[in-house]
Amino acid sequence: MEQPITLKNNGQINIVLNNETKKERVYTTSIPRPVKRLIVNHEPLLEIEREMSGLVGMDELKKMIKEIYAWLYINKKREESGLKAEKQAMHMMFKGNPGTGKTTVARLLGKLFLNMNVLSKGHLIEAERADLVGEYIGHTAQKTRDLVKKALGGILFIDEAYSLARGGEKDFGKEAIDTLVKHMEDANDKFVLILAGYPREMENFLSLNPGLRSRFPFIFDFPDYDVNELMDIADRMMDDRQYQFSGDAYKKLKEHFMDVKYNQTPLDFSNGRYVRNILERSIRAQSMRLLEEANYGKEQLITLKSSDIRL
């Protein structure tokens, strides 16, 4: 991919006295200039597709991201041809339970928008209610403005956004929402706001704030993983750590996921995080077993047995 070209201007002020030029002081300009990245052979799309190929499921989401890329790319081509190019806010809403990849996708979108010259930095600022809501009148607006300022050029990702509307009309959370809406209008093309949270709570949040839905042209659903997808996640995590399941361990874990998905509704079920927590507990249990057995062969070091699986 061709490297972007950046230009720096160093300004000098020369004072002329008696027809003699004397260099008095050097001033360096500090106004940042946006870096325009060249789009070669759809590399921004290929890059995000490569990274998303490592994510389990999300087929509909992957399709939507490709549509966003296509819309941005064709708009640029229309501009180059002297045609009208539609301007649209890129603010988004992510609805999904914990561990479904919302934060990961937000980071990938930051990279895509950076490479497409939509955002100047592409960084991600993560926040929650406590980061926006203050303790007295005026404090909330200032905290929210400071967060938006940090997010300029990138993405402001607010998790559990529905919590901003929990306190009713007199709660400072409403002030945070109002301040965010104002900045969405004033700095519409300078940052992307992503509100995220549980599906049901986010729908309720939108019903309490009817004007919000129209401000988020992209609403993405992050469904829970099914049993096979949970096992796929487990396999990938094990490969990354250079571990493997014995046949009995694999069967035990899969039966547990089937029980969780179809017979239980645990409050702490968090999809990918739930899988990771089980594996981390199981690896520690395997370490204790091997220590007691004093058995450190390569096959033993990489294999989790059924007795190691900690559910």
Side-chain angles (χ1 to χ4, degrees):
M1 182 177 176
E2 295 183 32
Q3 294 298 315
I5 299 175
T6 61
L7 300 176
K8 296 182 179 178
N9 293 331
N10 292 325
Q12 275 191 349
I13 293 181
N14 294 325
I15 299 176
V16 180
L17 295 175
N18 299 325
N19 295 325
E20 293 180 4
T21 301
K22 296 183 180 180
K23 185 167 63 178
E24 293 291 315
R25 191 171 298 168
V26 175
Y27 293 86
T28 303
T29 58
S30 59
I31 300 173
R33 293 191 176 187
V35 177
K36 293 296 183 183
R37 290 161 174 79
L38 300 178
I39 301 173
V40 180
N41 298 326
H42 301 298
E43 183 59 30
L45 175 63
L46 296 177
E47 180 179 348
I48 197 170
E49 286 185 332
R50 282 194 296 268
E51 298 203 43
M52 290 200 73
S53 67
L55 303 178
V56 174
M58 300 188 183
D59 291 340
E60 192 62 30
L61 185 64
K62 292 171 183 177
K63 179 182 175 183
M64 282 296 298
I65 290 177
K66 188 170 185 177
E67 287 183 4
I68 290 173
Y69 170 83
W71 178 78
L72 291 171
Y73 185 81
I74 296 303
N75 250 13
K76 291 183 182 300
K77 290 300 180 184
R78 287 177 60 87
E79 284 181 342
E80 292 171 6
S81 298
L83 298 171
K84 289 183 179 180
E86 182 183 0
K87 298 295 182 182
Q88 180 175 328
M90 302 304 294
H91 305 303
M92 302 180 178
M93 191 166 290
F94 288 0
K95 298 189 297 182
N97 291 322
T100 49
K102 297 187 294 296
T103 307
T104 299
V105 170
R107 288 196 184 96
L108 292 178
L109 285 170
K111 287 185 181 180
L112 176 64
F113 292 154
L114 173 65
N115 291 332
M116 292 295 293
N117 299 311
V118 174
L119 296 173
S120 60
K121 298 178 182 177
H123 63 299
L124 182 71
I125 298 294
E126 298 183 55
E128 55 187 19
R129 177 185 166 94
D131 299 308
L132 291 98
V133 178
E135 300 174 357
Y136 49 85
I137 295 175
H139 190 206
T140 293
Q142 185 59 52
K143 290 182 73 172
T144 304
R145 283 194 296 268
D146 290 344
L147 263 180
V148 170
K149 186 176 180 180
K150 290 178 182 177
L152 290 179
I155 293 176
L156 177 55
F157 181 89
I158 302 176
D159 202 7
E160 298 184 2
Y162 48 81
S163 65
L164 295 174
R166 278 181 174 166
E169 285 294 318
K170 296 182 180 180
D171 184 72
F172 289 139
K174 184 178 183 300
E175 186 181 359
I177 296 171
D178 293 342
T179 305
L180 286 171
V181 167
K182 184 178 186 306
H183 283 286
M184 288 170 70
E185 295 173 352
D186 295 346
N188 191 38
D189 60 344
K190 295 181 175 61
F191 81 111
V192 171
L193 176 64
I194 298 179
L195 301 185
Y198 293 98
R200 184 178 300 175
E201 285 82 350
M202 290 302 288
E203 275 301 316
N204 184 54
F205 175 57
L206 287 174
S207 69
L208 294 174
N209 300 272
L212 275 181
R213 189 183 294 271
S214 63
R215 300 179 187 277
F216 292 89
F218 301 99
I219 299 180
F220 293 146
D221 291 308
F222 288 73
D224 288 337
Y225 294 111
D226 62 28
V227 171
N228 289 331
E229 289 172 335
L230 291 171
M231 289 305 300
D232 193 359
I233 291 171
D235 283 335
R236 296 184 188 212
M237 289 182 177
M238 291 284 279
D239 286 342
D240 288 342
R241 293 166 172 77
Q242 292 189 313
Y243 283 91
Q244 66 184 19
F245 293 113
S246 69
D248 288 344
Y250 186 90
K251 180 181 178 182
K252 180 178 179 178
L253 185 60
K254 186 170 184 177
E255 288 177 347
H256 173 69
F257 288 149
M258 292 179 69
D259 185 45
V260 167
K261 293 291 291 183
Y262 302 121
N263 300 324
Q264 304 179 36
T265 53
L267 295 176
D268 63 342
F269 183 72
S270 54
N271 290 279
R273 293 180 210 166
Y274 187 82
V275 177
R276 185 183 66 233
N277 290 339
I278 288 178
L279 295 186
E280 289 176 350
R281 290 196 299 268
S282 300
I283 288 172
R284 292 195 298 269
Q286 182 236 32
S287 300
M288 285 294 296
R289 175 176 59 79
L290 294 179
L291 187 66
E292 293 171 356
E293 294 175 356
N295 190 351
Y296 314 122
K298 184 175 181 179
E299 190 70 15
Q300 286 70 37
L301 290 171
I302 67 173
T303 303
L304 294 189
K305 295 183 176 181
S306 178
S307 59
D308 299 324
I309 303 300
R310 293 290 185 266
L311 304 174

